Structure formats: C-alpha cells, structure tokens
C-alpha cells in the first residue's frame, strides 16, 4: 500500500494496524548533517525516509511540516530542559502545541496530510464525486482534542471522537466539546477507553460502513504517529550540545505509557539508528505493560474492584467494573495498549526468523502469531509469550510501575527543589527515571523523561500534591488559553447506554449525511 492509502485508511479492514514494509536506516553522516537543524528541518529529513518524493514532492512536504509546527508556542517546538544537572536528568517538553499535549506533534501533521491528500483527490470534482473522509477515533482526552484542533473546519472531513463519559479531565473535555465546527462530533460513551477503542475497531471491521463512508482513524492507531520519532532525535541533538555529555555516555528515554504509541515512536528511532541504550516504559497502577516485561504474560487481570480508590474524580477518575484502576494520571488508565501489537509483530518476526525460512513465510508466521495472541487476549483476557521473545523485548525496553502516592511525591519534590511543576503523567516518567538511575549510574548515563502534558490540564492532581506549599499559587500554571474555557458553549452527543457499536454506527451515518447536506 502507498503512504497515502495507509494514512487515509488508518486501520486495516480486519482491525489490524499498519507497519512500514521496512524500517529505514539513517543516511551516512546523519549526525553531523542534522545536529544543527531546527525541529521542522529535522522532521523533513526523517519523514523523507518514509515518504517517497513521488507521493509527496519535497517542496510540498516541507510546506506541510512548516505549517504544522508553526502553530507551536516555542521556537524549539519540543524543548529539552534540565531537571537535575547533577543527576544528568532532563525533561523533553512535548506540551507546547495548540492543545498542550504531546499528541499535537503527530495529530497536527496528520490533519494537514489529510487535507493535502483530499485536495489532490478532489481537484475538479463536485458534489457526490468528491472523496469525503469519515474519521473515527477513541481518546482518554489529549489525543481527541489534538485531533479535533488539527481537523476542525477542514473540507471533506467528518470527525467523530469517542471519549469515556466522565473519565477525562474537565479541561480535556472542554477542549474537545467547545469546538463547534460543523464537521466535529464528540460522542460520550458509558464505560472505559478500552470500550471506546473496541467500538472503533468494530466499525472498521464492518464492511457496510466501510464501503459507504471511507473510514479512517487517528493517532496513535494511524501510522502517522511515526512523526513523533522526530522529537527523540531533536532531544538527542540538544543533549549533544550539553557540555556534560560525552560521546561515550549512554542515553535512556523514559516514557509515560498508556497506549504505547509514544514509546513505540522511540523504538522506531532506535531501530533506525539513534544511539539509545534503553527505552523505559513508565506505567501508573494500570500496569499491564509493566507486568508483561516482568513476567512475559500480557493479562488484563483486574487490579481493583468496583470502588475507586485514590484517583481524583474531578480529573476524570471513576470506578468501573472492568477493573481499570482510576488514578491521578487518567490519560493512562488503560487495560489494553492499542499500539502494543505493532511491537509484538516485530518480536514475533525476530523469533520466527530463527527457523531459517524465506521472508514471506517469516512475515506470515509473525502475523499469525500476533493474531493468535490477540484472539487469546479477547477470549481469555491474556496470553503469554515464549521466553526468547521476552528476552528480545528486554533488550530494548525496561519498565517501571509508579503508584499515585509516588506520583504526587514526585510532583512535590521537583517543585520544592526547583520550582518546576510537573503534570501527573510526566511525574510518572520522572519517578521512573530516578529508579532507572539505580541501575545505570548518572555519571555515565543521561536520562530524558518525556513531559506529555501541561500541568494545567490536571490541576486537581497538581493541587493535591502542592496544597501545603505556601509559595505555590494554582493560577500561575494556568495558560491564558484555559481561562474561561469550561464556561464556553459545548456540543456533544451522549451515546445511550447499551447502544454498542451498532448504535454508534447509526449516529455516525446520520451525522455524515447531515454534514454532506450542510445541515449544521
């Protein structure tokens, strides 16, 4: 398939995820040639390795990239700041985009790619001849608002974002539902993010709606999430310019992980040739990923009953019988990581290649293995992998589980020692970094933790951590863009309880008809 087809489709008709035919290697002399490039220039070099000039001419790709990142609030786009010079601990700030979350890096680009391909496809066409895209995605908050702000008002696109009702923070919900553009549709679903993601996959598996509405999906499921590899390279080059860094030192990236897309972008960067010694998965108490790396078993296994303990209801925490533990970092309250199956394919492929068969057999075998695992996950609630596969996973990754108390303690520590205010998700990454230092001496290892969201998006958790600090004033972390946000007019559709994916299909089909007629 072409890059255009993969982007516009998003998710395969059988519910599977797309991966590239091959992971490109970095060109000769990449380090010296790229070290002084701006973020946009670096993004062009990296994306050009995946996107053929015959699909998007270089001048057009540069324009798409420049328009995408011109909306960010800082010239560095994703700056890397020092948290502790003594410990060689850094923070990669990914929240300077339009919606103050890391998803902006890929979602803003994806919106512009959608627009570019649709304008090209629809040139000279009118009415029903025009290619109209129906985009459906599930979010725990940040991805939804990033996608909406990347696509609102664009022609030939209808956007449907499913979020678990009452389980996103007030700021996240307001960022989504106060966008009143006619092509934007917010659907509030009873249940968890996993329920929302199941609905999205069911829609893509339905041949009827696929044949009539040209379904596509969003980051992190859409392959365009690979644009996030850019900030791993950008942070590395920032580190190279730091006087404390020596070429013999090791670099570890520590990533707060829920859906696994963010850290998977780091995996692709590492596979391309970025000198990363380890990628550290940092989970909250919904620790299915941490348990996999510790045991080799990927199991939903309820971590709590129907009563929420800890967590903050005002930030989106809500008990659910499915067993998702509600925490102070609600964007990571996920049982099944949607992007994890992409890594599973590479692990299965490596294991199958040891049989010495041809490439076609090896790829097919890897696909069958992943399909078998996912069926077992759906049927039994989990699966285990061969010991050799687990060892392969440990070669590139380590994992840490961070509790709510540890999260809040980390927020407090870095405010009291350096006046830096972390959001709870970023604090999980920093807490995991501190543990990683015990395995990798700070004198020889540099840790870069990813800050995935602005603290103002989760003010209740920040307040809980810092309420006893007299010098802390909550309003000081509130950006002007958030003032009065929750008081604005909203548009959201509540999905009736028990409606299932068929009920959502009816809502989508009716809304697209109205969009095409210009009813709204």
């Amino acid at each position: 398939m072409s890059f255009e087809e993969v982007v516009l489709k998003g998710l395969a008709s059988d519910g599977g995820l797309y991966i590239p035919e091959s992971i490109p290697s970095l060109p000769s002399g990449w380090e010296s040639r790229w070290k002084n490039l701006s973020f946009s220039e670096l993004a062009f070099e990296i994306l050009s390795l995946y996107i053929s000039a015959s699909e998007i001419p270089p001048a057009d790709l540069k324009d798409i990239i420049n328009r995408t990142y011109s909306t960010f609030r800082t010239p560095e786009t994703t700056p890397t700041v020092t948290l502790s010079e003594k410990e060689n601990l850094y923070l990669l700030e990914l929240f300077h985009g339009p919606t103050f979350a890391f998803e902006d890096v890929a979602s803003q680009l994806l919106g512009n790619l959608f627009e570019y391909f649709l304008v090209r496809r629809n040139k000279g066409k009118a009415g029903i001849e025009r290619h109209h895209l129906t985009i459906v995605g599930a979010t725990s908050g940040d991805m939804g608002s990033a996608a909406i702000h990347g696509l609102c008002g664009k022609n030939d696109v209808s956007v449907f974002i499913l979020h678990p009702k009452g389980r996103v923070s007030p700021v996240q919900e307001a960022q989504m539902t106060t966008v009143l553009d006619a092509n934007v549709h917010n659907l509030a679903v009873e249940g968890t993010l996993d329920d929302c993601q199941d609905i999205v996959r069911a829609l893509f598996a339905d041949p009827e709606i696929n044949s009539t509405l040209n379904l596509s999906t969003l980051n992190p499921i859409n392959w365009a999430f690979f644009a996030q590899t850019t900030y791993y390279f950008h942070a590395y080059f920032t580190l190279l310019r730091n006087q404390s860094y020596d070429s013999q030192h090791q670099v570890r990236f520590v990533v707060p992980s829920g859906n696994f897309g963010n850290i998977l972008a780091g995996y692709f960067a590492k596979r391309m040739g970025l000198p990363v010694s380890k990628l550290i998965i940092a989970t909250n108490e919904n620790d299915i990923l941490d348990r996999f790396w510790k045991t080799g078993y990927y199991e939903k296994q309820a971590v709590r009953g129907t009563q929420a303990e800890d967590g903050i209801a005002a930030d989106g925490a809500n008990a659910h019988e499915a067993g998702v533990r509600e925490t102070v970092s609600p964007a990571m309250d996920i049982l099944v990581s949607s992007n994890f199956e992409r890594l599973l394919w590479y692990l299965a492929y490596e294991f199958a290649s040891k049989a010495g068969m041809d490439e076609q057999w090896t790829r097919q075998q890897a696909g069958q293995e992943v399909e078998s695992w996912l069926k077992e996950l759906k049927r039994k609630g989990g699966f285990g992998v061969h010991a050799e596969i687990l060892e392969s996973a440990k070669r590139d990754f380590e994992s840490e589980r961070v509790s709510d108390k540890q999260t809040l303690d980390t927020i407090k520590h870095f405010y009291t020692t350096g006046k830096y205010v972390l959001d709870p998700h970023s604090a999980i990454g920093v807490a995991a970094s501190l543990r990683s230092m015990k395995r990798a001496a700070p004198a020889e290892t540099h840790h870069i933790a990813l800050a995935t969201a602005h603290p103002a998006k989760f003010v209740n958790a920040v307040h809980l951590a810092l309420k006893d600090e007299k010098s802390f004033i909550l309003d000081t972390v509130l950006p002007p863009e958030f003032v009065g946000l929750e008081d604005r007019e909203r548009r959201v559709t509540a999905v009736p309880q028990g409606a299932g994916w068929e009920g959502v299909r009816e809502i989508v089909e009716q809304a697209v008809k109205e969009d095409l007629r210009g009813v709204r």
Side-chain angles (χ1 to χ4, degrees):
M1 294 180 71
S2 68
F3 178 74
E4 177 177 347
E5 289 172 324
V6 168
V7 168
L8 291 180
K9 183 63 177 172
L11 192 67
S13 57
D14 63 356
L17 304 183
Y18 294 114
I19 56 174
E21 189 71 22
S22 62
I23 299 176
S25 298
L26 297 174
S28 176
W30 66 274
E31 198 163 330
S32 58
R33 287 170 44 203
W34 294 359
K35 65 180 181 180
N36 294 315
L37 297 182
S38 68
F39 186 93
S40 292
E41 291 169 336
L42 190 55
F44 172 76
E45 295 293 339
I46 293 170
L47 269 59
S48 294
L49 298 177
Y50 290 93
I51 305 171
S52 169
S54 64
E55 287 206 68
I56 304 180
D60 290 354
L61 183 58
K62 282 185 179 179
D63 177 64
I64 291 169
I65 291 170
N66 289 336
R67 283 190 291 110
T68 295
Y69 299 118
S70 66
T71 63
F72 281 59
R73 295 182 303 279
T74 176
E76 299 96 332
T77 306
T78 59
T80 300
V81 301
T82 302
L83 273 187
S84 173
E85 187 173 350
K86 179 181 178 181
E87 296 174 304
N88 285 330
L89 175 60
Y90 310 90
L91 197 67
L92 174 53
E93 295 183 338
L94 303 176
F95 50 74
H96 294 283
T99 69
F100 297 79
F102 81 93
E103 285 90 346
D104 284 323
V105 175
S107 291
Q108 300 302 310
L109 177 71
L110 184 57
N112 286 327
L113 286 171
F114 280 141
E115 183 178 48
Y116 177 83
F117 290 137
L118 289 173
V119 167
R120 188 164 67 184
R121 286 192 174 202
N122 290 329
K123 187 176 182 179
K125 296 180 181 178
I128 61 173
E129 292 183 344
R130 295 181 68 83
H131 187 92
H132 186 92
L133 206 59
T134 302
I135 297 172
V136 184
T139 184
S140 56
D142 287 335
M143 184 283 293
S145 58
I148 286 169
H149 283 262
L151 292 164
C152 60
K154 293 192 183 296
N155 294 325
D156 302 308
V157 177
S158 295
V159 188
F160 296 84
I161 300 298
L162 285 67
H163 70 268
K165 185 178 180 180
R167 297 169 64 87
V168 297
S169 79
V171 170
Q172 290 174 316
E173 183 177 343
Q175 282 186 313
M176 293 187 289
T177 58
T178 59
V179 177
L180 304 179
D181 294 74
N183 71 322
V184 173
H185 308 274
N186 283 284
L187 307 184
V189 178
E190 297 284 352
T192 67
L193 175 61
D194 296 281
D195 297 320
C196 295
Q197 291 182 151
D198 286 345
I199 291 172
V200 172
R201 287 182 182 269
L203 290 173
F204 275 84
D206 177 43
E208 181 181 340
I209 193 171
N210 267 282
S211 64
T212 57
L213 296 187
N214 297 317
L215 290 190
S216 185
T217 192
L218 301 155
N219 176 55
I221 294 175
N222 193 297
W223 168 239
F225 85 90
F226 81 99
Q228 294 168 197
T229 58
T230 302
Y231 51 68
Y232 286 89
F233 284 89
H234 191 259
Y236 173 72
F237 287 125
T238 301
L239 190 59
L240 286 186
R241 294 189 288 271
N242 192 308
Q243 292 183 351
S244 66
Y245 180 77
D246 184 280
S247 59
Q248 302 303 311
H249 289 176
Q250 294 186 337
V251 181
R252 290 183 165 212
F253 283 93
V254 189
V255 187
S257 300
N259 259 326
F260 205 74
N262 202 356
I263 198 165
L264 188 66
Y267 173 75
F268 278 101
K270 191 176 190 299
R271 286 283 301 267
M272 289 168 70
L274 187 67
V276 178
S277 64
K278 288 286 184 181
L279 295 160
I280 314 297
I281 301 159
T283 78
N284 63 15
E285 295 177 28
N286 294 291
D287 56 357
I288 187 170
L289 291 168
D290 181 61
R291 285 186 280 111
F292 173 80
W293 259 268
K294 296 291 196 296
T295 68
Y297 288 90
Y298 189 75
E299 299 171 320
K300 292 183 180 180
Q301 184 184 324
V303 293
R304 189 63 55 172
T306 57
Q307 296 299 315
E309 294 183 20
D310 300 323
I312 301 175
D315 273 350
N318 239 327
H320 193 271
E321 61 273 12
V324 178
R325 173 73 184 269
E326 279 61 42
T327 72
V328 296
S329 48
M332 291 160 57
D333 290 347
I334 297 168
L335 277 184
V336 178
S337 302
S338 60
N339 253 299
F340 185 53
E341 65 188 74
R342 281 186 165 115
L343 176 67
L344 286 175
W345 187 89
Y346 286 104
L347 295 174
Y349 174 85
E350 181 181 334
F351 185 68
S353 66
K354 296 175 182 178
M357 305 295 282
D358 61 30
E359 180 69 7
Q360 183 178 353
W361 182 91
T362 303
R363 290 184 175 215
Q364 187 176 23
Q365 182 66 22
Q368 290 174 350
E369 189 72 84
V370 173
E371 183 181 22
S372 173
W373 287 333
L374 295 180
K375 285 181 177 178
E376 195 172 346
L377 175 66
K378 190 171 185 178
R379 187 173 65 254
K380 298 181 179 179
F383 62 85
V385 300
H386 192 281
E388 286 188 39
I389 292 178
L390 178 59
E391 286 307 307
S392 295
K394 289 182 175 181
R395 183 181 59 235
D396 295 316
F397 297 89
E398 292 179 1
S399 70
E400 292 289 351
R401 175 188 188 272
V402 179
S403 70
D404 273 0
K405 182 180 185 305
Q406 292 160 343
T407 300
L408 297 174
D409 287 347
T410 302
I411 294 173
K412 184 173 183 177
H413 172 76
F414 280 91
Y415 177 75
T416 57
T417 59
K419 294 297 182 285
Y420 193 98
V421 182
L422 294 162
D423 99 283
H425 307 80
S426 306
I428 287 172
V430 172
S433 299
L434 298 177
R435 293 188 202 165
S436 174
M437 289 175 189
K438 296 177 181 178
R439 301 187 297 272
E444 301 170 355
T445 307
H446 296 250
H447 286 79
I448 302 176
L450 275 58
T452 55
H454 191 284
K457 300 194 81 166
F458 302 94
V459 291
N460 295 290
V462 172
H463 173 70
L464 183 61
L466 302 180
K467 65 181 186 301
D468 296 328
E469 299 301 316
K470 294 181 180 179
S471 63
F472 176 70
I473 302 174
L474 194 61
D475 287 348
T476 60
V477 302
L478 194 68
E481 293 88 342
F482 287 8
V483 176
L485 177 64
E486 295 178 40
D487 299 324
R488 297 176 191 169
E489 181 184 354
R490 303 186 184 210
R491 185 158 64 86
V492 59
T493 299
V495 177
Q497 191 165 12
W501 72 270
E502 296 94 340
V504 172
R505 181 181 65 184
E506 291 179 12
I507 293 171
V508 170
E509 288 175 331
Q510 182 59 37
V512 171
K513 287 179 183 178
E514 294 177 1
D515 284 354
L516 291 173
R517 294 202 308 264
V519 171
R520 299 179 194 278

